[in-house]
Amino acid sequence: MRLHRLLAGGTVALALALAAPTGPALAEDTLYVPLLTYRTGPFAGSGIPIADGMRDYLVMLNERDGGIGGVKLVIEECETGYDAQKGVECYESTKGKGALIYNPYSTAITLQLIPKAPVDKIPILSMAYGLSATAVGEVFPWAFNPPLTYWDGASAVLAYIAEQEGGLDQLSGKKIGFIYLDAGYGREPIPLLEQMAERYGFQLLKYPVPGDQMQNQSSQWLNVRRDNPAYMVMWGWGAMNPTAVKEAAKIRFPMERFIGVWWSGGEDDARPAGADAVGYKTMNINAVGQDYPVIQDILTHVVDKGLSKVSDRSRVGENLYNRGVMNSVLIAEAIATAQRATGKKLVTAEDVRLGLETMSFTEERMAELGVTGFFQPFQVSCKNHAPGNRVYIQQWDGKTWQPASDWFESDREVVWPLLEKAAADYVAQNPDWPKRAEPCA
Amino acid sequence: MGGLLHTVLVDPFVQMWTLPDFFVQVLWEGLVSGILYALIALGFVLIFKASAVFNFAQGIMVVFAALSLVGLHRLGVPAFVALGLCVLIMLALAVAVERLVLRPLVNQPDIILFMATIGLTYFLIGLGELVFGGEPKVMITSELLLPTGSYVWETLGGRVILQQIDIAAAVIAAAMVAVLAVVFQRTKIGRALRAVADDHQAALSVGIALETIWVVVWFAAGVVALATGIMWGARSDVSFALQIVALKALPVLVLGGLTSVPGAIMGGLIIGIGEKLGEIYWGGLLGGGIESWLAYLIALAFLLVRPQGLFGERIIERV
């Protein structure tokens, strides 16, 4: 009898525990920032360092400064597994908690959230990913992709290849291979690359890698061997990256002619191939290493206090970790800018949208934030949501990434009109797309 | 129309003829992939033969085994000791599955057992991530004395590059298949297993312990998973993405039959070589990336001729 009561009591207690609301406690005087992350599944290799970097910077602000403008941040991670459906579920389950901003960390999720943003009035920050056309602020007031778009990336990598070959006119007649994750993310730069191929007369060879073939790319690389392109450009993510580097080495493709986008440049992307990966290059938009005040503050206030989820102290400062930090610097600056603009400490998502659209990373402001040299200065505007079209090339030396070029720009003369056209096409395909409430000056 | 027919029916064969070294390379890559698919499929077949359970967890068992190996080595355990411990972990897993999953569900419909293996999959994903974390890890290839270089075979007016790890994979897979064949054909436990596969109740009536057989087959599938994890991990890295590779076993099983060890091997080779030839010589016509569904197309084409699969048992039911 006692056993039955015990069991019944335990069951009730368990039921009550399960019925209790989960997630962090939300006080009225806090700023709620949900983070759509993925620490599990096939893309966890790329997702974990970014999630760690994003989270650690925001935790550092809480620990060092008491939050932003004296208001504590409530940070809640929601696991998407890089799956669009789960990403939307995360969005729907957190938006009612007063979410100030969303970082989908997936182009597919971003595409799903772009139409929801003007309805729910919560801005989307897809930092250097997502739909390239959202750079056009006149059309997409609620979506931001600073500092630059995938189309800038495609333009920049071609500029780099042209520089290696002695000029854009030298691309004519050459074969340039493009291996990409066959998903929204990987397909995003194709329109730009195709137009560039037509303009400069090179042959674009496309090698799609389906999601279920990420670790089984021998066919794609056999095709590369047969086609013998002069350069290979990669838009890979998760387990696709290290496999591609290994397969490239396997067919003896010259590594210094293999260039990835900034999302294909994690340490774990190059490391598994060992010495064979030496020479592999990627574009980058942030610095690598711990020699920055912002990283030192994270080490002091978060990692050394045991508040980080990072698996090892040495992983702080790795490329994708720093990318996550950069992302959160942008989040925090958007909130801080909103606070300054409105005079309110407890800003709303609409205020943060204004903050995103007016935030300015000048040398002075970057020095205040401890991010001098961490990324390039840029200033978002009403018209231009991706104004920082600069990258540099990094190269794997067998142990770490080393800069292999100065910062250089994409060709905005070419890219911007195409972005505007793509934005106009988006509106044409979505007749109910809401017009911007206040046109840009 | 004529141009299309030429592109589909003539060009690929001209390419094969004019670049014979490349054609051999494609066949070799297909063979290696096929052997690895066969290894994965073998894990499914072993369990299905003995218990009529389609083990959805076979893919995550590959990941779990490989993660355990690398994880133990990271803790300072020497590579071969870690390998031995991993074999014991797979044995412990087999015992646990039999005690906690299969035994309570005995006599339940097959679909219940199938659902249980889906549950097991999510349990192992969670356990693996909890213990080892989600970050990809580098397989301890050289520590296990597996070769990592490559041979270049100058032949047919060109070159064929043979990765030593691929050769090792082929040899190890062949050895495993041979050992399993001997165990099943020549030993008492093998005969018992075949008896269980033929008829559970008849096997029980002659004193064969069903529980022991289940532990044995799950353990054998675990060892196969460990070997698969080492080989695929060496080709790429050790991460949870490896479980997706296990999906490649499905068309192999459709083709080879769920109950046939030779079927798994032949099915793996046919799918491996077929999808490579298809992707390389015909894939471009469809924009590339056709491998994922081509494997199923090949399997379906075979099924039109042999509905029971290559070596599957022909089921005749009187109605």
Side-chain angles (χ1 to χ4, degrees):
Chain A
M1 192 64 185
R2 283 185 65 186
L3 181 65
H4 280 160
R5 276 190 194 164
L6 200 63
L7 281 174
T11 309
V12 171
L14 184 66
L16 286 173
L18 290 174
T22 54
L26 294 179
E28 283 186 4
D29 53 350
T30 55
L31 298 165
Y32 175 58
V33 180
L35 298 178
L36 272 52
T37 56
Y38 33 102
R39 294 175 179 274
T40 62
F43 298 92
S46 300
I48 289 173
I50 286 172
D52 285 340
M54 286 174 76
R55 184 180 172 279
D56 285 359
Y57 180 78
L58 298 175
V59 171
M60 187 272 285
L61 291 182
N62 273 346
E63 293 296 307
R64 188 190 67 185
D65 307 336
I68 301 172
V71 184
K72 280 265 186 190
L73 295 161
V74 173
I75 309 149
E76 183 178 13
E77 283 191 45
C78 186
E79 173 70 35
T80 70
Y82 196 66
D83 178 83
Q85 190 184 338
K86 282 188 193 167
V88 173
E89 283 170 15
C90 280
Y91 173 86
E92 295 295 343
S93 66
T94 52
K95 72 178 185 188
K97 296 178 181 178
L100 294 178
I101 188 169
Y102 278 97
N103 302 261
Y105 258 97
S106 147
T107 294
I109 300 173
T110 306
L111 294 174
Q112 296 280 324
L113 298 191
I114 285 171
K116 293 177 182 288
V119 178
D120 296 326
K121 302 210 177 302
I122 306 172
I124 308 294
L125 171 60
S126 55
M127 189 191 79
Y129 63 90
L131 183 69
S132 296
T134 56
V136 183
E138 289 267 20
V139 176
F140 297 99
W142 289 91
F144 297 81
N145 52 351
L148 80 175
T149 71
Y150 281 142
W151 289 12
D152 289 303
S155 164
V157 76
L158 291 176
Y160 179 73
I161 291 171
E163 191 202 341
Q164 304 295 300
E165 294 293 308
L168 280 164
D169 56 324
Q170 297 298 311
L171 297 184
S172 179
K174 288 210 161 40
K175 290 179 185 172
I176 296 178
F178 179 60
I179 187 160
Y180 61 99
L181 183 64
D182 196 7
Y185 153 63
R187 289 191 289 263
E188 177 63 20
I190 289 176
L192 192 284
L193 288 169
E194 285 176 339
Q195 297 200 39
M196 293 291 105
E198 205 170 309
R199 181 181 292 242
Y200 297 115
F202 64 86
Q203 188 183 355
L204 180 69
L205 305 168
K206 288 176 279 185
Y207 306 99
V209 177
D212 61 354
Q213 296 288 323
M214 287 196 301
Q215 292 194 304
N216 191 20
Q217 295 175 37
S218 59
S219 295
Q220 284 81 1
W221 288 94
L222 279 171
N223 275 327
V224 172
R225 179 182 153 182
R226 179 188 56 192
D227 300 340
N228 194 25
Y231 288 86
M232 281 299 292
V233 175
M234 174 160 73
W235 246 248
W237 192 229
M240 176 180 158
N241 290 331
T243 312
V245 174
K246 279 193 169 185
E247 290 288 344
K250 198 165 132 182
I251 65 156
R252 306 192 173 189
F253 191 84
M255 280 296 165
E256 64 280 3
R257 288 168 173 263
F258 184 19
I259 308 162
V261 68
W262 44 84
W263 299 116
S264 296
E267 279 75 0
D268 283 335
D269 296 335
R271 200 180 278 136
D276 289 342
V278 172
Y280 168 59
K281 295 173 178 172
T282 77
M283 291 181 278
N284 206 346
I285 57 169
N286 58 267
V288 180
Q290 296 185 344
D291 299 333
Y292 298 89
V294 65
I295 300 296
Q296 288 302 314
D297 280 354
I298 288 173
L299 287 169
T300 305
H301 295 286
V302 184
V303 180
D304 293 344
K305 285 184 182 175
L307 300 174
S308 174
K309 289 184 179 177
V310 74
S311 60
D312 190 286
R313 197 177 192 274
S314 66
R315 304 210 69 160
V316 174
E318 288 192 345
N319 189 20
L320 293 184
Y321 181 92
N322 284 7
R323 186 78 45 78
V325 171
M326 178 183 171
N327 196 126
S328 280
V329 170
L330 267 60
I331 295 172
E333 189 59 9
I335 294 171
T337 306
Q339 287 175 332
R340 286 195 297 273
T342 61
K344 295 187 295 186
K345 294 292 182 193
L346 289 170
V347 289
T348 64
E350 288 186 72
D351 299 331
V352 173
R353 193 209 70 79
L354 181 69
L356 277 164
E357 204 159 77
T358 51
M359 67 182 178
S360 178
F361 288 96
T362 60
E363 294 282 7
E364 297 73 34
R365 183 58 182 154
M366 289 177 73
E368 286 170 20
L369 296 170
V371 292
T372 300
F374 198 63
F375 54 87
Q376 290 283 285
F378 64 88
Q379 182 173 358
V380 183
S381 68
C382 177
K383 285 187 175 169
N384 189 347
H385 285 187
N389 56 316
R390 307 188 82 199
V391 300
Y392 72 96
I393 299 290
Q394 62 176 8
Q395 190 166 27
W396 184 250
D397 70 357
K399 287 182 179 162
T400 56
W401 292 107
Q402 299 294 339
S405 81
D406 288 331
W407 290 87
F408 62 98
E409 291 186 350
S410 65
D411 187 350
R412 271 286 163 101
E413 299 269 317
V414 173
V415 174
W416 190 257
L418 297 175
L419 290 171
E420 286 185 318
K421 182 178 180 306
D425 289 346
Y426 186 94
V427 175
Q429 288 161 14
N430 298 274
D432 297 331
W433 186 247
K435 279 196 173 168
R436 196 184 166 95
E438 295 169 12
C440 296
Chain B
M1 188 62 187
L4 181 65
L5 284 175
H6 192 270
T7 311
V8 174
L9 299 176
V10 180
D11 271 356
F13 298 101
V14 172
Q15 282 186 47
M16 290 175 201
W17 180 255
T18 51
L19 289 171
D21 61 316
F22 183 71
F23 179 57
V24 172
Q25 184 81 57
V26 173
L27 288 179
W28 167 250
E29 294 291 338
L31 183 74
V32 173
S33 296
I35 289 169
L36 291 168
Y37 295 162
L39 257 186
I40 302 172
L42 204 56
F44 284 94
V45 168
L46 286 173
I47 289 173
F48 191 86
K49 262 177 88 78
S51 53
V53 175
F54 184 85
N55 179 23
F56 191 80
Q58 188 65 30
I60 192 64
M61 280 168 66
V62 171
V63 178
F64 190 75
L67 274 177
S68 302
L69 178 62
V70 177
L72 285 169
H73 187 257
R74 282 189 168 194
L75 291 173
V77 180
F80 281 97
V81 178
L83 187 65
L85 288 173
C86 273
V87 173
L88 291 178
I89 288 171
M90 298 324 282
L91 177 61
L93 181 68
V95 173
V97 166
E98 191 278 316
R99 287 284 161 90
L100 303 174
V101 181
L102 298 180
R103 196 181 290 191
L105 295 177
V106 76
N107 282 336
Q108 296 295 317
D110 292 347
I111 189 68
I112 301 289
L113 289 163
F114 173 65
M115 296 302 284
T117 67
I118 294 178
L120 180 65
T121 302
Y122 286 103
F123 172 75
L124 288 177
I125 290 172
L127 183 64
E129 281 171 348
L130 187 71
V131 176
F132 304 110
E135 294 112 331
K137 291 159 186 72
V138 180
M139 178 46 70
I140 49 171
T141 314
S142 52
E143 289 86 345
L144 290 170
L145 304 180
L146 290 167
T148 51
S150 61
Y151 299 118
V152 178
W153 180 23
E154 304 283 349
T155 183
L156 299 167
R159 65 195 159 96
V160 177
I161 302 170
L162 306 172
Q163 297 296 315
Q164 292 180 23
I165 188 71
D166 290 346
I167 299 170
V171 172
I172 290 170
M176 287 194 78
V177 170
V179 168
L180 286 170
V182 169
V183 167
F184 289 148
Q185 299 296 331
R186 307 274 176 208
T187 66
K188 193 176 168 186
I189 196 98
R191 279 194 295 276
L193 191 144
R194 282 187 288 140
V196 171
D198 282 347
D199 192 322
H200 283 195
Q201 288 188 332
L204 274 172
S205 70
V206 294
I208 293 171
L210 211 52
E211 295 85 353
T212 311
I213 294 299
W214 280 347
V215 170
V216 168
V217 289
W218 275 80
F219 174 55
V223 173
V224 169
L226 177 60
T228 313
I230 293 170
M231 295 309 163
W232 275 109
R235 282 163 70 92
S236 177
D237 62 1
V238 181
S239 72
F240 283 86
L242 272 179
Q243 63 181 306
I244 302 174
V245 174
L247 294 176
K248 275 286 170 189
L250 298 181
V252 174
L253 293 169
V254 171
L255 182 58
L258 264 166
T259 54
S260 168
V261 172
I265 298 160
M266 284 307 294
L269 296 180
I270 290 169
I271 294 288
I273 293 171
E275 70 174 18
K276 283 284 175 290
L277 290 173
E279 176 73 47
I280 303 295
Y281 293 105
W282 286 272
L285 297 170
L286 296 163
I290 66 169
E291 250 177 312
S292 341
W293 54 264
L294 185 66
Y296 289 93
L297 202 67
I298 295 169
L300 286 174
F302 266 84
L303 285 190
L304 285 176
V305 184
R306 279 186 67 82
Q308 69 272 38
L310 270 179
F311 297 93
E313 290 158 17
R314 192 164 192 175
I315 299 166
I316 300 170
E317 288 185 8
R318 294 183 199 285
V319 288

